[in-house]
Amino acid sequence: MSEILPRLPAKCVGRAKKVCKEWLSCIPSKEFESCFIRSTGVDLVDEKTMITLPFHVRPSDVWILSSLNGLLCVCLRNTFEMLIWNLLIRSCINISDSKSYGFFKIYSDAVGLYIDSSNEYRVLHIKRGRFTVDVMAYSRRTTHWKRIQFLQKRHYHTNGYVWSGGTFCEDSLYFTIFQFWSTGDIVIIRFDVNTETFSEIGFPYVSNVMGL
């Protein structure tokens, strides 16, 4: 159930409730179909509907780092722990297991959810140190982290670069990187989820002419 439900688009959730009584009781239709999630936390949808947080923090202390097929990767602001939150079945898994793995550092780290070649959900956590870019991938199935090699001799570890969150499309996870003091210096980092390798893609030209 936990593998099937997150893969369903929102319009199919109503049909899934007819599969069996267990699925009917596990799918909170109001929370899933009408919930509104902001990048800074979770808010009221209307006067009668509220998303119940499965952790003991204020909604403003929950950072949404990435989302995919009904799953959210979030960070708790008070502890910086990372969690996978399944809104469909109200489950939450803490993926932080040490001071090195699964702790999100704001302004430095980048995170993306993706599905690999074996149809397994994973979290890619990019951690920038003083002179390095350290990449770890978490498997929801095995509950373990593993290290992944980043690009050689690239200086994206410095604080001068700003990383976006990861966007999953087809078989790749994409991150946009730019220097906030240099106009036009933008690059897209592509992570191939099948080969587990990184590559650089030139950012498409955008005209500065008004109205174009």
Side-chain angles (χ1 to χ4, degrees):
M1 181 177 63
S2 63
E3 293 295 329
I4 295 174
L5 291 179
R7 289 178 167 83
L8 297 179
K11 64 181 179 181
C12 295
V13 173
R15 299 176 187 174
K17 294 191 294 184
K18 299 179 181 179
V19 173
C20 62
K21 291 182 179 180
E22 183 182 8
W23 283 30
L24 176 63
S25 63
C26 288
I27 299 178
S29 59
K30 285 186 178 181
E31 290 184 6
F32 180 75
E33 296 173 2
S34 64
C35 69
F36 176 67
I37 301 174
R38 298 180 178 175
S39 60
T40 55
V42 182
D43 274 354
L44 285 171
V45 182
D46 52 43
E47 294 181 356
K48 297 181 180 180
T49 305
M50 177 185 289
I51 298 175
T52 302
L53 297 177
F55 21 76
H56 302 291
V57 296
R58 297 176 300 176
S60 59
D61 289 334
V62 179
W63 291 327
I64 298 176
L65 307 177
S66 185
S67 64
L68 180 64
N69 297 345
L71 291 180
L72 296 178
C73 182
V74 303
C75 171
L76 304 185
R77 189 175 181 180
N78 57 336
T79 62
F80 302 103
E81 295 171 291
M82 290 167 53
L83 306 95
I84 297 178
W85 180 13
N86 190 328
L87 290 173
L88 281 171
I89 56 177
R90 302 186 180 101
S91 67
C92 188
I93 302 173
N94 191 322
I95 63 176
S96 305
D97 62 1
S98 73
K99 290 300 180 182
S100 298
Y101 304 156
F103 286 83
F104 183 80
K105 188 176 181 181
I106 192 171
Y107 304 127
S108 296
D109 294 0
V111 168
L113 274 167
Y114 67 96
I115 303 174
D116 67 8
S117 57
S118 64
N119 208 26
E120 178 181 351
Y121 282 90
R122 291 181 177 270
V123 178
L124 192 74
H125 185 190
I126 298 176
K127 298 175 66 68
R128 289 187 292 161
R130 187 174 180 183
F131 299 107
T132 61
V133 175
D134 194 20
V135 182
M136 304 295 298
Y138 176 84
S139 168
R140 198 177 66 141
R141 184 177 301 165
T142 66
T143 69
H144 290 107
W145 291 89
K146 76 172 182 177
R147 191 176 304 278
I148 294 178
Q149 185 68 37
F150 188 64
L151 296 170
Q152 295 292 331
K153 299 181 180 179
R154 296 296 188 270
H155 301 292
Y156 299 129
H157 60 273
T158 65
N159 291 331
Y161 288 94
V162 178
W163 287 62
S164 73
T167 299
F168 182 65
C169 181
E170 296 295 336
D171 295 325
S172 299
L173 194 61
Y174 296 92
F175 298 86
T176 301
I177 305 175
F178 68 93
Q179 286 182 295
F180 55 81
W181 67 73
S182 177
T183 304
D185 189 3
I186 306 175
V187 66
I188 296 175
I189 297 295
R190 173 179 177 263
F191 175 68
D192 188 311
V193 303
N194 296 321
T195 62
E196 295 188 334
T197 57
F198 287 90
S199 60
E200 295 172 307
I201 301 175
F203 197 83
Y205 173 75
V206 180
S207 174
N208 289 324
V209 180
M210 293 294 292
L212 296 181

